[in-house]
Amino acid sequence: MPDRGGGPSGPRMRVGRPSRRARTLLMTLGVLAVLGMAFIMFAGFWTDWLWFRSVHYSSVFTTTLWTKIGLFAVFGLLMAGVVGLNIWLAHRLRPPLSAMSLEQQSLDRYRMSIAPYKKWLLIGISVLVGLVAGASAAGQWKTWLMYVNGVPFGTKDPQFGLDVAFYAFDLPWYRFLLGFGFAAAVLSLIAAAAVHYLYGGLRVTSPGARATAAATGHLSVLLGLFVSLKAVAYWLDRYGLAVKSSDFKAADNWTGLRYVDANAYLPAKTILFCIAVICAVLFFATLWRRTWQLPVIGFGLMVLSAILIGGLYPAIVQKFQVQPNEQAKESPYVEKNIEATRDAYAIDGADVRDYPGVPDPKADKNQLRQAADTTASVRLLDPNIVSPAFQQLQQVKGYYAFPSTLAVDRYNGQDTVIGLRELNIGGIPKNNWINDHFRYTHGYGVVAAKGTTAAADGSPDFTQSDLPSKGQFGTDFEQRIYYGEQTKQYSIVGGPQKELDYSDDKAGEKETTYEGKSGVNLDNPVNRAAYALAFSEPQILYSGAIGEGSRILYNRTPKERVEAVAPWLTIDGAPYPAVVDGRIKWIVDAYTTSNGYPYASRTTLGQSTADSLTNSQRAVVAQENQVNYIRNSVKATVDAYDGAVELYQWDTKDPVLKTWMKAFPGTVKPKSEISPKLMEHLRYPQDLFKVQRELLTRYHVTDPQTFLSGSEAWEVPDDPTTKAGTAVPPYYLSMKMPDQKEKDQVFSLTTTFTPNGRPNLSAFMAVNADPGTPDYGKIRILKMPTSKPVDGPKQVQSKFNSEPKIAESIRLLRGGDSEVEYGNLLSVPLADGMLYVEPVYVRSAGLKYPLLRKVLVTYGGQTAFEDTLEKALNVVFGAEAPTTPVQPPTQPDGTVKPPTTQDPTVKAALADAQKAIEDAEKARQSGDWAAFGKAQDELKAAIKRAAEAEAKLGSTPKPQGQQ
């Protein structure tokens, strides 16, 4: 067509072409820009690959990558093909443009403008929808892997008789396919309708037929496919009722069928499925009938049926059948929910027993006093309060720091509070790039203290301290900490730049060079360029501090590392360190979860695991994740020196873990490979315990009628030692529950419950947290009587505060601007009653850390506020503890009998035992019972060390000839 564009008349202006040099420059800049963008994209991929390869989990990276690429390609091409095919078909079925109506004439200019670009428009639209669909499908890689690798649970749902694996692994994938089908049908319908309208197949304002026969047939088929998918959706919705969340006054986040679901929604979905199938057939029949009348009527009936059958009818059933007799109607379904929930959260084995809560007033005082020592090792050192004492007494340098909440572990049978002296980047004397990333690269040393005692001045009784660290753990272990909870910046180590190891007052600064194999090698200039982009730090590319052997360390917190190598796990919020086999290892509890366990009620992990100890360093687990199945299926370790990540199968029966182990073979080691030394430090995880206790506030009840009435519902009390109104945290301590048959105390995790809206104690819960015992994981609940209220934590704290003598003592302790801090209020079942113990710390004016000054104890209505636990127990029970010291084998002269071997460990242990005996006798004569108790503890530990060393020597095969 001739150019009819307007413009000024006159001679044409000749526009000069750019010079050859300019064209070359522009082309070069364009190529460089494209290469730069490509390298930026490549840098992210390449650094991820290098990191996974450095931790020896490259199979996780490749499996995830190829799964995403496969899903992107398949579903992207499928969506592009379906939409593109329908656009092409609509164009192919366009009517001839003969007699043009006014409506078509107005569209003529649009047809003319796109005519030269029809092919490119078709390709562009297809590619665009394909990219979007492919990206969406790639995000479903976990759903796909669970679907193709799913392992049966061996448990069937009570409604349809299908294995739980169908709901956990299959149904999510079917829902994704259904959603993809709906998206493809709707996009194809919109695109086809637009093309038909543009080329005259559909008419809106023109007289005559509104659609050509070809357009009618094409759109009818697409509508028939849409309605067919709706029929499939109705059918899947039947199964979805088993995992559907609903509001129910008996329980929050209720999941599963109720009476109205089984007797109204379920038949309604079946009827709607049949109606949708008939409606789809009517749409397909339009290919021959060429009329919209019947399918439109059918579609209208389907919509009306969905309103009446799917909405109004269930509401009538609920109003007139369920509400007048709710308990009778709902009881069978409540029973199914209780059984499924207790199984899904592994609380079905909880042993609930009645417990008086009030001691027998005729009980022998001496026996009670003795039982107080043997029932529990009361932990006076609060790991949430004593961190400043560790910081002040053991920080040594400003560039070291301890976490605000320390860990509780056990060593040689002693409850121990432990922390690592990690690097504090904010405490470096002078912050610059070299100091922050090359010079100061790691922390150094372990600090530990006894959990049950304190030093004479109230400070922690350290069993491992100083720099380099020495004490109970010895010195023969790798003390450098390159990976820790507070180590979040990257470091470049192993190259020409020396690192500061630690400072010694006598020898000055000691330097080191990292010798581990962790991190990514920066010898390669491509690697340096990639990391310069990844960390937005150009100096990585050209700095002279990087040379042969330089390695970059990042992703350095234990949680980050385990999450990266096992993205299908949910990580506990409290990794903790342990000295194992000559290394410092972070122990990380990991969970497999599911949101598809039929009938099991859901919980939000972030809410269930929050308490008064969660803060910026002690994070809650999976803040927004809603789950209705959880298992502590994996125990992971992260080496503090080389960052090595090991995953161990812990729950050998968990089908979710088995599914992921099929998807990622070789990533999880069998349970049998856990070393005995590591096993000694494994424990029951806090976050799982908190989720279980939250569920047990309602699901300790197994009778449906009682459950529905809510008369026995409990709640987790607020922490009485704080004013934040947050839940009391669970506490680790070694103790014996009344029914436990073990002779010794067992490392346990404990909590309390109160009735809804009331402060008195309703139950005490403890779980065996020691994997070395036969009933590890056994949940025991002591249920208090409702007829005789037992004081709960808030009431105990209130009585402490209101006791005139105690209040006056607290006032005196606060004198001179001192601050009083209450430690963990520990509860211990003892001889039918409840023993409460709370340490009281004082932070004097000018002192930066708290000291243990007093101990509050109450039992059976008697309260004591004394300098030591020993004295407080003596006052409460009106009797003194037995003072007979534990005696090791001795010679006639009273000295410790020398070992039968010259083993230095045995000799040193018995020498410590002899000293402890002498200290105990001095303390007894002077009446210093705190020192006496401390000496007894040291004596027991020394004897135990000697016995263990002798046993090892006795079990060691002798050389031939010395048999």
Side-chain angles (χ1 to χ4, degrees):
M1 295 180 65
D3 183 8
R4 297 182 181 179
S9 59
R12 293 178 178 269
M13 298 294 293
R14 185 178 183 87
V15 180
R17 296 178 63 189
S19 66
R20 184 173 181 180
R21 179 178 296 177
R23 291 200 305 273
T24 302
L25 179 61
L26 290 172
M27 186 177 296
T28 302
L29 291 175
V31 170
L32 290 175
V34 171
L35 290 176
M37 293 178 63
F39 188 77
I40 290 173
M41 297 173 63
F42 167 78
F45 162 82
W46 185 242
T47 53
D48 285 347
W49 161 249
L50 291 173
W51 187 86
F52 275 96
R53 192 175 65 174
S54 72
V55 293
H56 308 294
Y57 282 89
S58 54
S59 62
V60 175
F61 179 81
T62 54
T63 299
T64 305
L65 177 64
W66 285 116
T67 302
K68 290 179 179 180
I69 290 175
L71 291 172
F72 180 88
V74 170
F75 286 95
L77 289 173
L78 189 58
M79 181 66 80
V82 169
V83 175
L85 175 63
N86 280 282
I87 293 174
W88 174 84
L89 189 59
H91 181 265
R92 179 76 178 263
L93 297 175
R94 68 190 184 282
L97 298 177
S98 51
M100 300 292 290
S101 64
L102 292 176
E103 182 182 10
Q104 289 299 311
Q105 289 178 13
S106 66
L107 294 172
D108 182 57
R109 62 178 179 272
Y110 296 109
R111 288 194 294 269
M112 295 294 291
S113 61
I114 67 173
Y117 311 108
K118 287 190 293 186
K119 178 190 288 187
W120 294 109
L121 274 174
L122 174 62
I123 295 173
I125 293 173
S126 300
V127 168
L128 179 62
V129 297
L131 290 173
V132 174
S136 175
Q140 298 294 322
W141 65 272
K142 290 183 182 179
T143 307
W144 165 251
L145 287 176
M146 294 181 79
Y147 172 71
V148 296
N149 297 287
V151 173
F153 276 67
T155 302
K156 298 191 177 197
D157 82 280
Q159 182 66 42
F160 301 101
L162 297 174
D163 192 275
V164 172
F166 170 80
Y167 301 92
F169 305 141
D170 299 346
L171 191 58
W173 180 250
Y174 295 152
R175 289 191 182 279
F176 165 72
L177 292 179
L178 186 63
F180 180 83
F182 273 123
V186 170
L187 289 174
S188 297
L189 188 61
I190 294 172
V195 174
H196 280 301
Y197 176 70
L198 184 63
Y199 285 95
L202 291 177
R203 302 179 181 89
V204 178
T205 60
S206 301
R210 298 297 182 186
T212 64
T216 300
H218 185 196
L219 297 179
S220 294
V221 171
L222 291 176
L223 286 168
L225 290 172
F226 178 85
V227 177
S228 298
L229 291 170
K230 188 61 181 174
V232 176
Y234 282 133
W235 189 257
L236 287 180
D237 284 347
R238 297 169 70 254
Y239 303 109
L241 292 172
V243 290
K244 175 181 69 72
S245 290
S246 60
D247 295 328
F248 191 31
K249 68 179 182 179
D252 298 330
N253 293 313
W254 172 277
T255 304
L257 284 79
R258 291 157 51 194
Y259 180 89
V260 69
D261 297 313
N263 295 277
Y265 280 111
L266 188 58
K269 296 294 183 183
T270 305
I271 294 170
L272 289 172
F273 164 76
C274 297
I275 294 174
V277 170
I278 295 171
C279 186
V281 172
L282 292 176
F283 273 109
F284 291 134
T286 307
L287 283 171
W288 295 277
R289 294 179 56 84
R290 303 295 183 181
T291 175
W292 291 89
Q293 186 175 4
L294 283 178
V296 168
I297 293 174
F299 188 77
L301 287 174
M302 186 179 75
V303 173
L304 183 62
S305 300
I307 296 172
L308 296 177
I309 302 175
L312 185 59
Y313 174 62
I316 293 173
V317 171
Q318 179 69 23
K319 179 72 175 176
F320 295 102
Q321 290 190 34
V322 178
Q323 289 184 4
N325 193 16
E326 185 175 42
Q327 287 203 347
K329 296 291 187 182
E330 298 288 15
S331 285
Y333 304 98
V334 171
E335 187 174 2
K336 295 174 184 177
N337 174 268
I338 292 173
E339 183 179 352
T341 302
R342 287 169 62 87
D343 182 64
Y345 291 95
I347 56 177
D348 50 334
D351 183 9
V352 182
R353 300 189 177 196
D354 291 330
Y355 187 74
V358 179
D360 183 356
K362 299 179 181 179
D364 184 86
K365 294 181 179 180
N366 291 312
Q367 290 181 354
L368 286 176
R369 179 63 187 87
Q370 185 174 4
D373 286 337
T374 58
T375 299
S377 296
V378 178
R379 181 169 45 75
L380 299 178
L381 209 61
D382 188 336
N384 194 46
I385 289 182
V386 299
S387 178
F390 275 53
Q391 191 82 4
Q392 184 68 22
L393 299 174
Q394 291 295 321
Q395 179 187 19
V396 181
K397 298 293 182 181
Y399 45 81
Y400 293 129
F402 292 92
S404 60
T405 300
L406 302 173
V408 178
D409 201 348
R410 61 259 187 241
Y411 289 86
N412 297 329
Q414 166 75 45
D415 288 3
T416 302
V417 176
I418 184 172
L420 300 188
R421 192 182 286 109
E422 293 190 50
L423 177 66
N424 173 27
I425 199 74
I428 294 176
K430 183 178 181 181
N431 288 103
N432 55 55
W433 190 62
I434 293 296
N435 276 349
D436 292 353
H437 300 288
F438 291 81
R439 181 71 175 164
Y440 295 89
T441 59
H442 59 280
Y444 202 103
V446 180
V447 176
K450 292 181 180 179
T452 55
T453 60
D457 63 348
S459 61
D461 186 3
F462 292 110
T463 58
Q464 185 80 16
S465 58
D466 299 335
L467 184 69
S469 177
K470 58 181 178 292
Q472 180 181 7
F473 310 148
T475 59
D476 191 18
F477 65 96
E478 179 54 69
Q479 299 193 27
R480 297 173 182 86
I481 303 157
Y482 283 87
Y483 294 88
E485 286 189 287
Q486 300 185 75
T487 314
K488 299 177 180 178
Q489 76 284 357
Y490 71 88
S491 291
I492 299 176
V493 298
Q497 176 66 51
K498 292 288 185 180
E499 308 164 46
L500 175 65
D501 206 14
Y502 63 90
S503 295
D504 185 273
D505 292 336
K506 296 180 180 179
E509 292 186 345
K510 300 193 70 173
E511 295 183 330
T512 188
T513 298
Y514 184 67
E515 297 179 354
K517 300 301 181 183
S518 182
V520 178
N521 200 312
L522 293 179
D523 287 352
N524 189 327
V526 175
N527 292 357
R528 294 176 66 171
Y531 280 103
L533 278 173
F535 291 112
S536 301
E537 185 50 73
Q539 293 186 77
I540 294 177
L541 187 60
Y542 56 78
S543 173
I546 301 175
E548 184 179 355
S550 291
R551 311 178 73 85
I552 185 167
L553 313 180
Y554 62 105
N555 286 350
R556 298 173 70 181
T557 68
K559 188 172 186 291
E560 281 179 324
R561 295 182 78 76
V562 177
E563 279 179 335
V565 302
W568 33 271
L569 290 174
T570 300
I571 310 303
D572 189 273
Y576 59 99
V579 179
V580 180
D581 298 324
R583 311 283 286 196
I584 301 172
K585 291 185 182 290
W586 290 98
I587 300 175
V588 184
D589 284 288
Y591 311 106
T592 49
T593 61
S594 175
N595 198 24
Y597 198 101
Y599 275 96
S601 291
R602 291 188 170 90
T603 186
T604 303
L605 292 180
Q607 295 176 1
S608 299
T609 57
D611 60 33
S612 63
L613 294 188
T614 52
N615 51 37
S616 58
Q617 293 185 6
R618 170 66 174 89
V620 296
V621 58
Q623 183 71 40
E624 301 299 330
N625 278 17
Q626 269 208 339
V627 304
N628 67 353
Y629 173 92
I630 186 169
R631 291 289 186 273
N632 177 212
S633 53
V634 171
K635 299 286 188 181
T637 63
V638 177
D639 193 291
Y641 181 71
D642 63 17
V645 181
E646 304 288 351
L647 306 176
Y648 297 99
Q649 182 182 16
W650 185 247
D651 190 332
T652 56
K653 298 179 180 179
D654 177 28
V656 181
L657 177 60
K658 290 179 180 178
T659 295
W660 287 118
M661 289 175 70
K662 281 181 63 180
F664 296 96
T667 57
V668 180
K669 296 182 177 181
K671 187 175 183 178
S672 58
E673 292 193 21
I674 299 177
S675 70
K677 288 294 184 183
L678 175 58
M679 186 70 77
E680 290 177 5
H681 298 282
L682 300 183
R683 66 188 192 188
Y684 201 83
Q686 291 186 58
D687 284 335
L688 176 61
F689 183 79
K690 286 189 279 188
V691 169
Q692 290 174 323
R693 75 171 179 178
E694 181 66 30
L695 270 296
L696 280 167
T697 58
R698 304 182 303 276
Y699 287 95
H700 67 279
V701 176
T702 56
D703 177 63
Q705 301 288 339
T706 307
F707 187 90
L708 280 167
S709 70
S711 61
E712 300 225 1
W714 301 335
E715 64 183 5
V716 178
D718 292 339
D719 190 344
T721 64
T722 68
K723 298 180 181 180
T726 49
V728 62
Y731 295 121
Y732 286 107
L733 74 157
S734 293
M735 60 169 293
K736 284 195 299 183
M737 289 288 277
D739 68 311
Q740 282 183 290
K741 297 179 181 179
E742 292 87 353
K743 293 182 180 179
D744 298 327
Q745 300 164 8
V746 176
F747 193 62
S748 305
L749 190 53
T750 65
T751 191
T752 53
F753 296 107
T754 57
N756 271 343
R758 288 184 291 161
N760 55 288
L761 188 69
S762 57
F764 175 84
M765 171 180 167
V767 64
N768 185 337
D770 187 354
T773 54
D775 62 347
Y776 166 80
K778 174 76 173 179
I779 296 174
R780 293 175 169 86
I781 298 176
L782 302 179
K783 184 180 175 184
M784 309 298 156
T786 55
S787 57
K788 295 181 180 180
V790 179
D791 286 346
K794 269 191 175 181
Q795 292 173 312
V796 170
Q797 187 68 48
S798 178
K799 288 183 177 180
F800 279 156
N801 296 339
S802 60
E803 181 77 25
K805 291 183 179 179
I806 295 176
E808 177 63 19
S809 298
I810 294 291
R811 188 186 67 80
L812 293 174
L813 290 174
R814 288 197 174 111
D817 295 327
S818 296
E819 296 180 13
V820 172
E821 298 182 41
Y822 293 101
N824 35 227
L825 178 59
L826 299 178
S827 312
V828 178
L830 176 66
D832 292 340
M834 292 299 298
L835 175 69
Y836 286 96
V837 179
E838 183 177 59
V840 178
Y841 295 83
V842 177
R843 193 192 300 256
S844 304
L847 195 65
K848 296 181 180 180
Y849 59 94
L851 297 173
L852 178 64
R853 291 304 189 196
K854 293 284 185 177
V855 180
L856 281 162
V857 175
T858 185
Y859 180 81
Q862 299 296 318
T863 301
F865 186 57
E866 301 293 333
D867 294 339
T868 66
L869 175 62
E870 183 90 10
K871 291 180 180 179
L873 291 173
N874 291 344
V875 170
V876 164
F877 293 108
E880 293 190 358
T883 58
T884 303
V886 178
Q887 293 287 351
T890 58
Q891 300 185 105
D893 62 357
T895 60
V896 176
K897 186 177 181 179
T900 57
T901 175
Q902 294 302 309
D903 179 69
T905 304
V906 178
K907 291 176 66 178
L910 292 182
D912 292 343
Q914 180 64 45
K915 183 177 183 302
I917 291 174
E918 295 170 357
D919 293 342
E921 181 60 20
K922 291 178 182 177
R924 189 183 67 80
Q925 293 175 1
S926 63
D928 188 349
W929 299 112
F932 180 84
K934 180 181 177 181
Q936 286 292 293
D937 289 340
E938 292 174 350
L939 176 58
K940 291 176 184 178
I943 294 173
K944 186 174 182 180
R945 289 200 305 273
E948 289 175 349
E950 284 279 5
K952 288 181 180 178
L953 289 168
S955 62
T956 303
K958 296 180 180 180
Q960 192 170 3
Q962 298 183 20
Q963 300 282 332

